[in-house]
Amino acid sequence: MDFNQRLWEDRQMVELRLKAYSAPESPYLIQKDVFEAMRYSLLGGGKRLRAILALEFCRAFGGELEEALPAACALEMIHAYSLIHDDLPCMDDDDLRRGKPTNHKKFGDALALLAGDGLLTLAFEILSREDSVELMGPARCIETIHVLSCAAGEYGMLGGQVADVLGSGRAMTKSEHSEMVAMKTGALLRAAVHCGCIAGKAGKEQTQAALHYAERIGTAFQITDDLLDVLGDPQLMGKNVGSDQRADKNTFVTMLGFHEAQRRAFSLFEKASEEISSLFGEEHFLMQLTDWMARRSQ
Ligand code: GRG
């Protein structure tokens, strides 16, 4: 099947399930406003990369996509929460996300904060639901919940965000910066691959190799994000550029310079592709997906 067709099909599957997991629109619920704010950011577009990684690693190891879908959706919920909170005035203070006003611009700070909390909580609710437990079995469900909670928490994305926020305005060392990126951006991407391995019942060594891949693309993905914040097209990206510089952030561009950052991303994506090639062969969909990540302009 054509690469773009498969990407579209994966996304469709995720969109439909996310919609099914979201609370229905109802004028009678007293908390209807937070449901609306949650739907606004959860169903509001995005590349769905984390979900696709979970689905495709599951498929690559011979698993059924259905078994990876709850985790794929949980990943997108956690990701959407992080974007809502990251955009708040007390964090990056951004007005535009995925081509629309940010959640707090549309609903106000209080509701945006609560919508983020709601999405984070919903991620774990859907994974522990009876249908998910029946589908995956209790052991794999608990393992998935453990992987996701560790990736989202204080030793993962949240910890990285703390280091990023508190490190703005002062020069970080290269190792501090690498650690911050591995936590803030890398942890959730790594968890996406890990969830796919769990759903696809990958063996220990296969999982280790897949996680090496994930660590490389995690760093490379953030480098690309930093490069796009300097030279990206705001129309294509659906968000404002130059925000890192305005906030005096430590980025791969400030740490390495633009060209060295480009070279580093290229080399990491290349190593990541080698990992996929030795796991699944040259022609595999995940090779094309890695290439697509390396070339992304949004
Ligand atoms: C607890 C108040 C509070 C805040 C936590 C954890 C957190 C806020 C923020 C996470 C940090 C973060 C947003 C990292 C950026 C990761 C990144 C590169 C996001 C962009 O991902 P894409 O390009 O986005 O996949 P789309 O829109 O395509 O889904």
Side-chain angles (χ1 to χ4, degrees):
M1 187 194 295
D2 168 62
F3 172 74
N4 287 314
Q5 174 71 17
R6 176 118 148 227
L7 211 54
W8 185 86
E9 285 187 12
D10 283 357
R11 282 197 185 123
Q12 275 300 103
M13 200 183 300
V14 172
E15 298 301 332
L16 283 175
R17 185 60 69 90
L18 284 174
K19 211 164 180 191
Y21 282 140
S22 301
E25 283 175 52
S26 163
Y28 304 110
L29 298 167
I30 55 166
Q31 72 281 47
K32 63 181 181 331
D33 300 290
V34 81
F35 285 147
E36 192 189 338
M38 287 163 72
R39 278 194 304 270
Y40 179 79
S41 290
L42 184 63
L43 309 176
K47 296 182 285 298
R48 303 302 190 203
L49 176 63
R50 291 147 192 85
I52 291 168
L53 283 169
L55 293 179
E56 290 298 339
F57 267 88
C58 170
R59 186 185 339 234
F61 286 119
E64 295 293 329
L65 290 193
E66 187 61 28
E67 294 190 38
L69 253 185
C73 291
L75 281 153
E76 289 298 324
M77 289 171 188
I78 295 169
H79 175 55
Y81 128 75
S82 80
L83 299 180
I84 296 174
H85 282 193
D86 194 49
D87 289 335
L88 284 168
C90 60
M91 300 265 166
D92 279 2
D93 194 10
D94 276 312
D95 294 352
L96 203 63
R97 169 76 64 184
R98 293 170 169 172
K100 298 192 306 189
T102 46
N103 200 290
H104 68 275
K105 282 282 162 195
K106 171 100 178 153
F107 298 98
D109 293 3
L111 217 51
L113 191 73
L114 293 167
D117 294 340
L119 286 169
L120 177 61
T121 312
L122 182 61
F124 295 102
E125 188 206 312
I126 61 142
L127 285 172
S128 54
R129 272 165 54 153
E130 210 177 329
D131 52 346
S132 302
V133 179
E134 260 175 33
L135 185 71
M136 291 188 65
R140 281 194 301 149
C141 260
I142 290 173
E143 196 183 352
T144 303
I145 289 170
H146 184 69
V147 163
L148 278 178
S149 52
C150 290
E154 63 276 24
Y155 291 100
M157 184 174 71
L158 181 64
Q161 179 77 349
V162 171
D164 191 19
V165 169
L166 299 184
S168 296
R170 72 163 176 93
M172 282 184 182
T173 65
K174 281 188 179 163
S175 81
E176 266 181 313
H177 177 254
S178 300
E179 200 180 344
M180 180 273 282
V181 169
M183 291 162 85
K184 185 184 85 160
T185 306
L188 203 59
L189 288 165
R190 189 181 190 273
V193 171
H194 202 166
C195 288
C197 293
I198 297 168
K201 299 193 180 122
K204 238 184 178 163
E205 277 181 24
Q206 291 171 317
T207 303
Q208 276 316 316
L211 294 180
H212 277 144
Y213 164 83
E215 282 154 18
R216 286 178 172 140
I217 59 152
T219 305
F221 188 84
Q222 185 60 57
I223 300 177
T224 308
D225 215 63
D226 293 348
L227 293 167
L228 287 172
D229 193 62
V230 176
L231 268 195
D233 177 350
Q235 286 285 98
L236 272 179
M237 290 162 64
K239 62 178 184 177
N240 298 317
V241 295
S243 54
D244 291 336
Q245 197 187 1
R246 281 193 294 281
D248 204 6
K249 290 248 173 153
N250 291 280
T251 72
F252 281 101
V253 176
T254 63
M255 303 297 290
L256 305 174
F258 193 88
H259 293 295
E260 180 53 28
Q262 259 182 332
R263 263 196 295 276
R264 182 76 62 90
F266 181 80
S267 152
L268 283 164
F269 278 124
E270 208 171 51
K271 287 198 181 104
S273 297
E274 283 164 18
E275 202 78 61
I276 294 298
S277 168
S278 60
L279 268 171
F280 307 115
E282 278 286 321
E283 303 301 319
H284 200 271
F285 174 82
L286 286 168
M287 288 290 279
Q288 290 168 288
L289 187 69
T290 309
D291 189 52
W292 175 77
M293 278 186 260
R295 292 170 194 279
R296 76 186 173 99
S297 52
Q298 57 183 53

